[in-house]
Amino acid sequence: MPAIREGARGAVISGWGTSLPEKVLTNDELAATMDTSDEWIRSRTGIAERRVGGTTIGLSIESGRQALEMAGLDPSRIDALVLATTTPDKQWGSAAVVQHELGMRCGAVDVNAACTGFMYGLVTAHGLIAMGADRVLVIGTDSLSRITDYTDRATAPLFGDGSGAVVLESVDGDGELLGWDLDADGSALGILQAEVGGYIEMEGKEVFRRAVRLMVDSAEKSMAHAGVTIDDIKLIIPHQANIRIIQAACDRLGIPIERASVVIEHTGNTSSATIPLALADALDRGRVEYGDLLLLVGFGGGMTAASCVLRWGGDAQ
Ligand code: ACO
């Protein structure tokens, strides 16, 4: 992927929001219906519970509404909505319904890149701003409970529902995006897939092995484009599929896991929502200061990988 062209119009994140369904599904509740245990799930994945029962449109409306409110923007001022999801409520139109329900008057598109969807959406939104849009709402939402087989102990513990959103606004100076990378390898689709109308199927060990390599490769490309090294990164915001994948990726990148934002314990893998949920958590906890460098990185079905380096606040030094 090319580096960002000199002089390209930049953007900064001016608001964010999150949404999770009310219903909590604990490991013990799962263990009551299948041959598993809280101890097995926690030790193999880092997950204690997940939220289930959401709809992609409903969760997106809520996270999008919060992000607009924080940015202090009337919905009519948004120029485009990019909704990343691999579980649309209907075959098409989730973004359009969210646009209508939030009172926006702009183009609206669903983007599906499995768990890297939010990253593809975020990079796309920066591209729209480089081409003249002033404000773009990016939402990552998945309701994976609808495509999870709750009789399969190999997959059921991993997934949940959730949503995270950010508002991107154009700026005069340099924007926040210093480097980015988008990657895909369709030869590996078979190890992690879902038939239309079917459930998630995966070869867990093989996904694990590739996931670490994909995240590290993509992160290194983004950092090279940004002209920074891992030592410059204040916080890594990784896709939350398994705490052991996050740990292994951090080890290989050379960043302590204490400098990662981790929310998987209470959310599970929410696909397109994990990165905006982890980003919002870090921001809400005050872990990010003006000028800090953030590395956002994920992998997903396809298989896909994506990452970017952001300097929080844009041209702050
Ligand atoms: N409870 C108890 N035992 C289990 C469970 C469970 N929930 N699941 C599997 N086991 C058993 C297996 O049957 C196996 O038993 P055996 O040794 O008698 O054959 C044993 O535990 C070990 O199984 P493994 O699959 O080798 O366990 P592993 O350590 O690899 O962990 C896991 C499995 C957690 C799935 C891991 O491979 C992983 O996280 N992979 C990546 C998954 C992922 O990131 N998916 C991305 C999805 S993104 C998307 O779909 C949108």
Side-chain angles (χ1 to χ4, degrees), residues 34-37 40-41 44-45 86 114-115 142 144 147 152-159 192-193 200-209 211 239-245 269-272 299-301 303:
M34 62 176 62
D35 184 13
T36 188
S37 66
W40 193 97
I41 300 170
R44 297 291 177 119
T45 70
T86 197
C115 301
D142 269 302
L144 291 179
I147 59 165
D152 176 15
R153 70 175 184 171
T155 54
L158 303 177
F159 303 112
L192 173 56
Q193 62 179 337
I200 299 169
E201 304 162 20
M202 68 173 191
E203 296 171 28
K205 269 201 190 317
E206 184 58 17
V207 173
F208 194 120
R209 203 176 60 77
H239 173 49
Q240 320 268 314
N242 184 321
I243 190 68
R244 292 186 298 142
I245 292 176
N269 179 350
T270 54
S271 194
S272 308
F299 72 93
M303 285 187 82

Side-chain angles (χ1 to χ4, degrees), residues 116-161:
T116 53
F118 179 79
M119 297 304 300
Y120 271 78
L122 191 65
V123 171
T124 301
H126 278 92
L128 290 169
I129 285 185
M131 290 189 296
D134 284 321
R135 288 163 290 273
V136 182
L137 177 61
V138 186
I139 307 178
T141 306
D142 269 302
S143 37
L144 291 179
S145 64
R146 293 185 300 156
I147 59 165
T148 299
D149 178 356
Y150 285 101
T151 66
D152 176 15
R153 70 175 184 171
T155 54
L158 303 177
F159 303 112
D161 304 347

Side-chain angles (χ1 to χ4, degrees), residues 232 234-235 287-294 310-313:
D232 301 314
K234 169 83 177 297
L235 206 60
R287 295 183 75 188
V288 183
E289 285 169 20
Y290 199 62
D292 282 347
L293 296 193
L294 308 180
L310 303 182
R311 181 192 285 131
W312 192 251

